Structure formats: C-alpha cells, structure tokens
Amino acid sequence: MPSLNKSMLRRDGYLFVRNVIPADRLDAVREACEGLLERQREVWRREAGPDDPPGGTWEKHMQPRVPDFHALVDEETAPAVELWLSEPVMGTSRELLSGTEAVPMHMMMMCNPRVDHGPAKWHRDIGNNGVAPLWLLQEELAETGPRYLQWNLPLYDDDVFWVVPGSHRRLNTPEEDRRLKNDPRSPLPGGMPVKLKAGDGLIYYHSMLHWGSNYSMKLRRTVHGGISVHAMPRDPGFTRHLSPSSAAAFQSWNRLAAEQRDLTAQALQGVLDGDAAAFRTALEGLHPGAGPASKLTLTACVAEAARHIYLLRQPDFDELPEDLQREAKSLHPLTLGWGADFGEWFSDAEADEMWRRCNWLAQRLHAELRQPVTVDDFVASWAA
C-alpha cells in the first residue's frame, strides 16, 4: 500500500487513493454490485405504493441507493462486501483513524436516477439533528483525529461529487450562509469537483461541505459508506457467503459492537447513579486515549442516546412525528444509537431521569451563543 498523505487529509478534508479496485477485479465487483442492485429493485417493486410507478424508488428517486449490502448478499455478490475488507480500504482506514479498530459501517451503492433530477443541496453529514455541534466535531478532529471516515468508490468514472476544501476545519462563512439560504443547489465559492476514475477511492471527512452536483441519467454506480472505530452489529447469517477470514472479521465486530453497546449502557447508568468513575471508565472504553474534545463529543452522544431512550419510552411514541420515531429507533453506533431494543434496557422512570440530566448538556452544546462546557461540568451538574 502506498504511503498516505495524512497532512493533505487534515488540511483539505479529503484524500485520493488510486486503484483501490485493481483493473483485473473491476468487472467482478461491477457484476456483484449489479446483482445486489437487481435484488434491491425487487424490494422496491414490492414496496411500491398505489401512487408510485411500478418500480417504486428505482423509478422516482433522485439518487437510488442499494442501502446495505449485507442484507442482500449471496455467494455470487460476495465481492461487493469483500471490497470493504480489502487492504486498500481497511489498511488505509486503520492508518488514518484515531482508534484501535476499523469497522465497516453502512456499505451501500449510489446509482443514477431514471430521469434527470439535476443538483442536490450542499450539506455536511453531521447527523439529522447535529448530535454534537460542528465546532465540537472540528475540535475533536484537530485534537484526536477522526473516529469515522467516509468513502466513495466509483465503478465507473464519476465527477458528480464536489467539495469545499478545508471546510471541515471551520464554520460556514457569511457568504456561504447567504448563498445556501438563497440557492443551496448552485456552486459555492471555492467548491470543486472531485474527478474519480473507475476503481479509485475518495476518503473524506463527513463534516466537510460537499455536494451532489448533478443527478443525471449518466450511468453511475459508486460504492459508498464508511469505516469507523465503532462497530455496527449485524445478523451474522450473511457471513456464510464470505471467505472464512471475512466471516471471522464480521463476527469479531459483532462482539465489539456488543461491548460498545454495554459501555454505552454503563455510561448511562453512571449518569443515573451519579457515579462519575463508572461514567469516565465507559468513555475511555468507547474511545481509548481520547482527549478532552473527543470525550466531550462522546458525552454528547451519550446524551443523545438518553434522548432516544426517553422518546422510545413515551406512551404516545406511535403518535410522534415520523422523523422523531425514525431517529429514536435508528441504529448508528458512531453516535451511540443502538436501535429500538436499547430502549428496553431502562424503565420509564430511569429514561425520564437520564434525559433530565443529559438535557442539561444538550442545551448548552446547542445554545445559539456558544457556552464553554466540559465533561467535568456535566458531571458536576448531576448534583443540581
């Protein structure tokens, strides 16, 4: 594996990795991904509503996505999953991540639409509600480095993706805010296309400003997802289609996910019990060696986990807005979201008290005017 220009990643927010998929493997990966797409198209056909076209999402969405390879894979399509465990992806990610683990999160593929849709909106992938504020994510990156890296792996030449280099290190400028308010679908000052050849890879920070510049009918098959220091639990049944070493890796990551879920519960129990030592031990287990900014980010994620559990325990949960229901049930270990079942780990009264204590931190982190706050401040607030 060639040496990596880590300074470029830190400075610009993205990094090219050439020939991630060697030319002699490209056709096999393309064939596997088309097989997964055909299986997903059948799902979309079954799910199509009475007002939808016969193909459902495939025919109407501006960017149809095969949502997660592991749910569809078989022996013929296994190369699409094995790609994520290849040395160019995993080895590169291990070298760049700020933890001891490197685990595939969502493994998906972005496809071209059936009709031209034009550009999407500029955005930063920092969560539906911004679990941690952007300024804190930027402090964490500068202090400790990334806990998560996003990947684009085009199977055909792709220039749809644009970036604003360096925007991961700062807040939006007044000019960017003005343009995004007036027209979020047009080029931004300093924005540039990332021109990728088939088989290349692009690594980028998800907090960087980026843009899908033109969702046209031009053939697009770009494998997309991320590698994290946090583990994504998966039903292990799919691993029977993989090589023994890949199956073993996913099984070990399932064990790691269980450990990290238990550490999240330990942190929440520490909040409930007012046990600062247990809480800090859980944070250290979730990200060994993390600095103050990273620990505060993890604490923000613990607070978000408490909010999800609080929502899940509400007697009128089914009457909440659909976006809140989806958010509470989401499985996203990077932000310590462990899914709907995690809400059963605590009683209604515990859920209320956890969120009462954690809401103190959430309000301060997301205040309109930035308020200095630390993990020590959060722990001290439990006595209030």
Side-chain angles (χ1 to χ4, degrees), residues 37-71:
L37 174 58
E38 186 50 45
R39 287 170 171 238
Q40 182 60 42
R41 287 179 64 186
E42 180 56 36
V43 173
W44 287 328
R45 282 191 286 267
R46 293 197 305 268
E47 293 177 345
D51 297 325
D52 291 331
T57 295
W58 175 244
E59 295 185 40
K60 67 179 184 178
H61 201 277
M62 72 183 303
Q63 189 198 78
R65 292 188 176 196
V66 179
D68 208 337
F69 290 176
H70 84 280

Side-chain angles (χ1 to χ4, degrees), residues 68-225:
D68 208 337
F69 290 176
H70 84 280
L72 302 167
V73 72
D74 59 10
E75 290 184 7
E76 293 182 353
T77 55
V81 173
E82 298 278 3
L83 168 62
W84 284 100
L85 279 71
S86 65
E87 182 60 23
V89 175
M90 290 301 295
T92 299
S93 298
R94 285 192 192 98
E95 187 172 342
L96 295 172
L97 285 169
S98 65
T100 57
E101 299 291 340
V103 185
M105 294 282 280
H106 301 289
M107 303 176 289
M108 61 183 71
M109 182 172 67
M110 304 181 291
C111 304
N112 60 284
R114 310 314 298 159
V115 297
D116 288 349
H117 281 267
K121 295 180 180 180
W122 285 92
H123 61 284
R124 303 176 190 258
D125 295 334
I126 55 174
N128 293 333
N129 66 335
V131 172
L134 181 58
W135 62 262
L136 180 54
L137 296 175
Q138 291 167 343
E139 286 187 3
E140 179 186 29
L141 267 180
E143 170 196 84
T144 312
R147 289 183 294 127
Y148 173 76
L149 293 168
Q150 212 141 271
W151 280 82
N152 283 2
L153 296 158
L155 306 184
Y156 301 91
D157 293 358
D158 190 340
D159 61 0
V160 171
F161 191 72
W162 282 50
V163 299
V164 177
S167 56
H168 64 293
R169 294 185 283 110
R170 58 169 177 77
L171 304 180
N172 290 358
T173 67
E175 175 67 8
E176 286 169 342
D177 280 337
R178 184 185 68 79
R179 287 175 177 257
L180 290 173
K181 181 179 179 180
N182 293 335
D183 183 6
R185 301 177 188 272
S186 294
L188 283 175
M192 55 170 280
V194 178
K195 298 182 179 181
L196 296 170
K197 294 294 185 182
D200 286 345
L202 178 76
I203 306 168
Y204 62 100
Y205 293 143
H206 66 298
S207 57
M208 178 178 60
L209 273 169
H210 56 277
W211 182 42
S213 65
N214 185 22
Y215 293 143
S216 72
M217 294 175 63
K218 179 184 175 182
L219 178 63
R220 190 182 192 218
R221 301 286 188 267
T222 295
V223 176
H224 171 72

Side-chain angles (χ1 to χ4, degrees), residues 101 103-104 229-236 238-239 244-264 285-286 333 338 345:
E101 299 291 340
V103 185
V229 301
H230 298 282
M232 170 70 77
R234 292 181 169 91
D235 184 330
F238 81 99
T239 62
S245 62
S246 295
F250 277 104
Q251 289 158 8
S252 72
W253 292 328
N254 268 359
R255 292 191 292 272
L256 177 62
E259 293 171 5
Q260 293 176 337
R261 181 197 58 203
D262 290 348
L263 285 166
T264 306
L286 286 165
W338 294 107
W345 288 40

